[in-house]
Amino acid sequence: MKRDRECCLGCRHFRNDTPFLEREIAGLTSFGSAHASVRADDGLCNLLDRLTEASSVCRRFEGIASHFSERKDQ
């Protein structure tokens, strides 16, 4: 999936790395691991505090690249 699309995968509020998900979702490791083919690129939206598909679209999207360029200016 491309990160340049305005979908959750390219949003600064979206996290889908395995160690993070295993820390944040209580009991997840009892099913094995967050590193599973059924999860694909899905992850957690820190803004909405919910599990989200990486391909989802939200009106509160904030691109990762734009976030970094804003930080450079400060």
Side-chain angles (χ1 to χ4, degrees):
M1 179 175 296
K2 293 182 179 181
R3 287 190 182 267
D4 59 350
R5 290 182 42 210
E6 291 190 359
C7 61
C8 291
L9 187 61
C11 183
R12 75 180 192 99
H13 302 291
F14 183 77
R15 296 272 312 264
N16 69 347
D17 53 292
T18 301
F20 173 78
L21 292 174
E22 289 177 346
R23 276 191 316 272
E24 295 298 310
I25 302 173
L28 183 64
T29 56
S30 67
F31 295 107
S33 170
H35 188 70
S37 61
V38 294
R39 182 178 65 84
D41 288 326
D42 299 346
L44 188 66
C45 173
N46 289 320
L47 187 64
L48 303 175
D49 194 31
R50 67 179 177 206
L51 201 57
T52 309
E53 291 182 10
S55 59
S56 294
V57 178
C58 174
R59 60 185 165 89
R60 298 169 87 179
F61 173 86
E62 291 181 43
I64 295 168
S66 64
H67 174 66
F68 290 124
S69 60
E70 287 172 13
R71 292 178 63 196
K72 283 185 204 176
D73 295 339
Q74 293 178 353

